[in-house]
Amino acid sequence: MLKTNPYQQVLPPLKSIEIKGDQFVNISNIRVKNLSDLENPFQKVSKLFNLKHENVLSHENVSILYDEGLEDEAYRIEVGAEIKLYAKTDAGIFYAAITLTNLIMMEVALPYATLEDAPSVVERALHLDCGRKYFSKEWIMKFIDDLAKRKMNTLQMHFSENLGFRIESKIFPEIVSDKHLKQDEVLEIIKYAQDLFIQIIPSLDAPGHLRHILEVYPQYALEGTKKEAIDISNPKARTFMKELYDEFSDLFKSSKYFNIGSDEFVDFETIDSFTPLVDYARDILKIDDASAIDTYIDFINDMASHLEDKGFIVRVWNDGIHRLNQSEKIPLKTSIEICYWTKYHKYMAPLEVFEDKGYRIINYHAENFYYVFHVDVGIKLYKTEDWFESWNPHKFTFGQETKNESKVLGSSYAIWCDAPDIGTVRRVYNDTFEPIWAMAVKSWNKDTRLSYDAFTNLILNYYL
């Protein structure tokens, strides 16, 4: 009888563990082979964990086999006289290699067993506000390493905000903040992430959150918004945004998604006070009983179609869409995916509205997963112990739960830097280490019964 089952120490927790008899594998017999082979998943994993040559895997009694019957990121490990890793995809093999490496690093004998594992949701993400606050290429790459170790697969780079524009623009260099990433650095980040099976999603918010840009191009600002929102009734302003999206769609051409934000454009309760927007809906869109909300939806659809023509799936935040006291005549394209983060206003659409209309949804639970350098409260961080044992990817903000799990693509933790000088990048890293790990655990295995205390003990013992 095992006193401690090493397979139960793996994070994220394995889906299935079947011990086979009472034989064990001596980990000291595991030796490296072909470490120089860049396509070898163990080469990537050994580098990821900064392991010395004599302590890493990829050896004569580990074999890699492809099984078309498994899901895309799923894997199976058979531990015996020979260790066999099965997966359908290279990503699955990579995750299997991470699990086996974690086990080896525990320095305990491994009982013969069959281990089966697969993520509960397709997307396990981190959103980084690198628009308000500068994060270096090296810092982001270190963060990517940590995402990979947690079997997370998405990083959303939010590089444009009211307080900054942090990626080099060769077409509009005048909008770029002094501290920024060069485009070559971004390409390095993208390639580095791809090698660890992490996708990078660009996030360039419009029509709001544009003050930094509109201070340079005030002629495109919507009057009455303190230069924070673009005038979406102005054809030249729309053309300007498309040119900006063109440049960054080319830079991020390997990405599947593009987030155009569309949140917090104006006070949606007074949107019809913006006369140019109402006039545009009536005179250009030819809508009887015109409302400014139709101009807003038309702008989102216009930008989305522009990016869809380039091969992207477009995403937006939920707060301005399908509000309960608005009756837009123009429907939002259902090809757009919804990043559902909040329902703090009574007229914000509940989750079920988006489900009923057929949208695909990502869970950006603002009560659990928002870390904010906040102008009023300082550092805003929700305690992991308050949600760890009760949350799963299908439980959304304000107590909402999905009716159709197949519509939920995944979940994301979000780092926001509204007041960027409140803390350092080191503070960001240290503060978010545990909650991001926790979200990764529950996103990979939504049915785990792991307690918060057990989770923190595993982190302290094996995953720091």
Side-chain angles (χ1 to χ4, degrees):
M1 179 70 70
L2 289 171
K3 291 184 178 179
T4 302
N5 184 340
Y7 303 125
Q8 292 177 342
Q9 318 304 311
V10 172
L11 289 179
L14 300 167
K15 289 290 179 68
S16 173
I17 302 168
E18 182 182 359
I19 304 296
K20 301 289 186 72
D22 56 2
Q23 291 181 285
F24 291 79
V25 176
N26 186 344
I27 63 168
S28 64
N29 293 332
I30 299 178
R31 294 293 181 227
V32 175
K33 186 171 75 172
N34 297 328
L35 189 60
S36 62
D37 180 3
L38 294 178
E39 297 305 313
N40 191 320
F42 290 108
Q43 193 275 342
K44 294 180 179 180
V45 172
S46 62
K47 181 179 178 182
L48 181 66
F49 286 88
N50 194 29
L51 299 180
K52 295 181 180 179
H53 182 88
E54 63 269 19
N55 292 330
V56 295
L57 301 174
S58 185
H59 65 323
E60 46 276 1
N61 65 337
V62 170
S63 57
I64 294 173
L65 302 165
Y66 288 89
D67 183 346
E68 290 295 324
L70 293 172
E71 298 173 8
D72 281 351
E73 295 181 299
Y75 63 90
R76 183 172 71 254
I77 303 176
E78 295 181 0
V79 181
E82 182 179 6
I83 300 174
K84 298 179 180 180
L85 277 56
Y86 296 84
K88 177 182 179 180
T89 64
D90 290 344
I93 292 295
F94 178 68
Y95 295 141
I98 287 176
T99 292
L100 195 50
T101 301
N102 284 333
L103 290 166
I104 297 302
M105 291 171 67
M106 292 177 191
E107 299 183 343
V108 295
L110 302 179
Y112 282 21
T114 296
L115 315 175
E116 295 182 347
D117 207 11
S120 295
V121 289
V122 172
E123 187 170 308
R124 289 101 43 213
L126 185 282
H127 167 99
L128 180 65
D129 179 2
C130 52
R132 292 184 178 98
K133 189 174 185 66
Y134 171 74
F135 293 85
S136 69
K137 178 191 74 173
E138 292 75 19
W139 191 96
I140 292 172
M141 285 181 169
K142 176 176 172 56
F143 219 74
I144 287 170
D145 284 346
D146 283 357
L147 298 183
K149 291 175 184 178
R150 297 160 177 152
K151 300 188 176 80
M152 296 172 71
N153 63 1
T154 302
L155 172 64
Q156 181 163 277
M157 294 179 63
H158 183 67
F159 61 89
S160 171
E161 255 298 343
N162 284 329
L163 298 181
F165 193 97
R166 301 287 178 181
I167 294 179
E168 172 190 18
S169 172
K170 297 180 179 179
I171 298 175
F172 302 105
E174 61 276 7
I175 69 173
V176 180
S177 300
D178 290 341
K179 296 186 71 174
H180 63 273
L181 295 169
K182 299 290 187 182
Q183 289 195 10
D184 286 347
E185 291 181 300
V186 174
L187 292 174
E188 285 185 63
I189 290 169
I190 292 170
K191 176 62 168 62
Y192 189 82
Q194 287 175 334
D195 286 346
L196 299 175
F197 301 96
I198 291 172
Q199 64 175 333
I200 302 293
I201 299 178
S203 173
L204 201 174
D205 212 330
H209 291 271
L210 289 171
R211 187 171 71 228
H212 184 82
I213 292 174
L214 292 174
E215 285 176 346
V216 181
Y217 288 95
Q219 65 270 33
Y220 298 142
L222 179 63
E223 188 176 347
T225 64
K226 299 180 181 179
K227 296 181 183 176
E228 291 191 1
I230 202 165
D231 183 357
I232 56 179
S233 70
N234 181 345
K236 291 182 179 179
R238 289 194 181 208
T239 298
F240 171 78
M241 283 308 308
K242 287 178 181 177
E243 290 174 351
L244 200 55
Y245 281 131
D246 284 346
E247 179 175 13
F248 289 95
S249 63
D250 185 57
L251 180 63
F252 290 93
K253 61 187 176 183
S254 62
S255 301
K256 181 178 180 180
Y257 303 100
F258 205 118
N259 193 322
I260 63 170
S262 306
D263 59 311
E264 300 175 329
F265 167 44
V266 295
D267 178 356
F268 287 101
E269 296 308 297
T270 62
I271 191 170
D272 281 333
S273 67
F274 293 91
T275 304
L277 306 188
V278 177
D279 292 345
Y280 186 92
R282 182 187 62 245
D283 300 336
I284 305 300
L285 302 179
K286 306 298 183 184
I287 295 174
D288 294 333
D289 191 22
S291 170
I293 201 71
D294 289 301
T295 302
Y296 167 68
I297 298 297
D298 176 73
F299 172 82
I300 297 173
N301 286 344
D302 188 15
M303 297 302 119
S305 294
H306 187 74
L307 287 165
E308 287 172 350
D309 287 346
K310 298 176 181 297
F312 292 95
I313 296 172
V314 172
R315 292 178 170 180
V316 299
W317 303 103
N318 70 284
D319 54 285
I321 311 297
H322 297 308
R323 291 173 74 94
L324 299 182
N325 62 335
Q326 302 281 2
S327 55
E328 62 269 13
K329 310 300 188 301
I330 294 179
L332 184 75
K333 292 164 66 81
T334 54
S335 56
I336 293 173
E337 296 180 348
I338 304 299
C339 298
Y340 198 100
W341 68 285
T342 188
K343 193 187 177 306
Y344 69 77
H345 193 281
K346 64 180 179 180
Y347 291 130
M348 288 179 180
L351 180 66
E352 64 180 354
V353 168
F354 295 100
E355 290 187 282
D356 291 345
K357 292 180 180 295
Y359 293 99
R360 294 179 295 274
I361 304 165
I362 305 92
N363 190 344
Y364 275 81
H365 197 308
E367 293 171 88
N368 292 349
F369 303 144
Y370 265 37
Y371 175 84
V372 187
F373 283 175
H374 198 283
V375 65
D376 295 321
V377 300
I379 294 177
K380 187 176 181 181
L381 172 63
Y382 294 95
K383 294 181 179 179
T384 308
E385 58 264 38
D386 290 344
W387 56 263
F388 181 80
E389 295 177 14
S390 60
W391 179 83
N392 69 58
H394 304 295
K395 293 184 177 182
F396 285 69
T397 185
F398 282 79
Q400 301 176 94
E401 192 161 356
T402 181
K403 298 184 298 183
N404 185 351
E405 292 188 357
S406 67
K407 290 295 183 182
V408 179
L409 297 178
S411 49
S412 180
Y413 197 90
I415 294 170
W416 293 102
C417 302
D418 296 42
D421 296 330
I422 281 180
T424 64
V425 295
R426 179 181 291 275
R427 180 70 186 269
V428 172
Y429 182 88
N430 291 340
D431 283 353
T432 62
F433 183 86
E434 182 198 86
I436 294 175
W437 241 124
M439 192 212 72
V441 163
K442 298 299 292 281
S443 297
W444 182 275
N445 187 341
K446 69 181 181 65
D447 298 317
T448 180
R449 296 182 179 179
L450 188 69
S451 70
Y452 173 72
D453 288 343
F455 161 72
T456 55
N457 284 336
L458 289 175
I459 291 291
L460 290 171
N461 288 329
Y462 300 116
Y463 296 95
L464 289 179

